[in-house]
Amino acid sequence: MDNELKRTLGVSDAVVVGLGAMVGAGIFAALAPAARAAGGGLLAALAVAALVAYCNAHSSARLAARHPASGGTYVYGRERLGPFWGYLAGWGFVVGKTASCGAMALTVGAYVWPGREHEVAVAAVVALTAAGYGGVRKSARIARLIVAAVLAVLAGVVVVCLGSGAADSGRLAGGGWGGAAGLLQGAGLLFFAFAGYARIATLGEEVRDPQRTIPRAVPIALGIALLVYAAVAVAALSVLGAGALAGSSAPLADAVRAAGRPELVPVVRVGAALAALGSLLALVLGVSRTALAMARDGHLPRALAAVHPRHQVPHHAELAVGAVVAVLAATADLRGAIGFSSFGVLAYYAIANASAWTLGSDVKGRAVAAAGLSGCVLLACTLPAASAVTGAAVLALGALAYAVRGRFTSGS
């Protein structure tokens, strides 16, 4: 009982945590590379990404209700497919998302104080780690404030763009299509903006009545995120078009400028900074809980499995994740070097869907799991070659570490 977490999160808390992870910096940045890949098929790519995300969310919710422990797919893979598959999912998540934490922290710094990105990034990591140390309810309250502010900014962008004279519905499907391969690559890039719903399942040990709460919270969070993304994508396309959107480094700022409201650009920048902060908060929560689960099984130092007796959080894991991310944020620019995390996330969800397949003979459940698994494999195959090769190398390194550890522990 000493290393178990306390169940304090209800449905609304879980939804907010998921939204904080999804409605993050991705929506401020992912539209441009997705438009470069999909062209006028951007909205179709969004629909494909949402479909794959729904399948993964459905499978994750079913698994979380059956196995309501911290660790997400690490636990599901271990329990349903065997220790190696759980380990591989956990390895890909911890390594990839730790790099993502560093990148997100630097994104906060770039928006808040250009030229001082590293200092601001470290300060953001320290502040969020301290907040997480105080309990998951405190983190949920912070996430609630961030989500409210970001949604307000995004709503403003949509209203300004669609209400301007620059809006033209003819731009929604114009600009040429990128073909099937481009559409799927665009979907793969947009998919990662949806991936935050897994944070609800990762926190399964801290959710009240998980068999009821998680299956309700996951689709609610995913549905709200899809509505927000669709509205923002339509608004940006209507004033910029796919071509201009593809060439933008700050698409939503450029959208409000094109709509004739350049004075709102600083507001969009603040929204982007808050969104990145929310994503960072959710990432730290998810990585620390997966590290806790892996430490319990000896795949990471067992000291990381400690739970604070008063705050009921994995304080050693949170401090370790915070320290590593702070060092990365202070010393390296990871924003352009974390393509492998895209591949790792798809591998993570592929294992989740394969795990969900084993839950029983329910026709709908198995059909959704099969569709989710197929979608993850398909999107992974259409990622840029560098991302796929680096991601595969990271997973192979994890598999090698697992094999070496197995030899040592078996005494051979």
Side-chain angles (χ1 to χ4, degrees), residues 67-382:
H67 304 285
S70 285
T73 300
Y74 166 73
V75 173
Y76 314 148
R78 181 194 67 196
E79 295 297 320
R80 312 302 306 186
L81 303 176
F84 171 74
W85 294 105
Y87 165 83
L88 196 64
W91 167 269
F93 185 85
V94 169
V95 174
K97 291 302 186 181
T98 297
S100 295
C101 285
M104 204 55 63
L106 286 167
T107 301
V108 176
Y111 277 110
V112 171
W113 196 347
R116 294 284 186 178
E117 293 95 338
H118 292 282
E119 292 89 337
V120 175
V122 172
V125 172
V126 171
L128 291 182
T129 301
Y133 198 94
V136 72
R137 288 300 300 274
K138 180 181 288 186
S139 296
R141 285 195 294 270
I142 294 172
R144 193 181 296 274
L145 294 174
I146 292 174
V147 166
V150 173
L151 288 178
V153 171
L154 293 176
V157 170
V158 171
V159 170
V160 166
C161 290
L162 295 182
S164 73
D168 181 359
S169 61
R171 296 192 180 103
L172 297 182
W177 283 61
L183 188 149
L184 290 174
Q185 187 174 109
L189 294 167
L190 288 168
F191 169 79
F192 305 104
F194 287 105
Y197 59 77
R199 221 65 69 240
I200 301 170
T202 306
L203 298 172
E205 198 171 316
E206 293 161 276
V207 174
R208 297 194 305 267
D209 190 10
Q211 286 79 7
R212 172 179 172 272
T213 298
I214 294 175
R216 290 183 63 191
V218 168
I220 291 173
L222 184 61
I224 294 173
L226 173 59
L227 290 175
V228 171
Y229 291 165
V232 171
V234 167
L237 279 173
S238 70
V239 295
L240 292 176
L245 184 60
S248 175
S249 60
L252 298 193
D254 288 345
V256 296
R257 192 179 288 113
R261 299 298 297 272
E263 69 275 13
L264 294 180
V265 170
V267 177
V268 174
R269 291 181 63 86
V270 170
L274 286 173
L277 203 62
S279 291
L280 177 59
L281 174 62
L283 281 168
V284 170
L285 288 174
V287 173
S288 61
R289 270 59 179 182
T290 302
L292 163 74
M294 296 182 73
R296 285 171 171 170
D297 293 336
H299 295 304
L300 292 176
R302 291 192 182 275
L304 299 182
V307 173
H308 195 283
R310 182 160 66 92
H311 299 303
Q312 296 293 297
V313 295
H315 57 305
H316 288 177
E318 286 192 343
L319 291 175
V321 171
V324 171
V325 174
V327 170
L328 290 174
T331 59
D333 190 343
L334 298 173
R335 282 170 291 181
I338 60 168
F340 71 86
S341 69
S342 300
F343 188 92
V345 168
L346 284 166
Y348 179 88
Y349 286 115
I351 293 173
N353 282 296
S355 301
W357 176 269
T358 70
L359 286 175
S361 57
D362 172 60
V363 175
K364 178 187 176 183
R366 283 201 159 184
V368 171
L373 176 58
S374 301
C376 287
V377 173
L378 183 61
L379 294 185
C381 290
T382 60

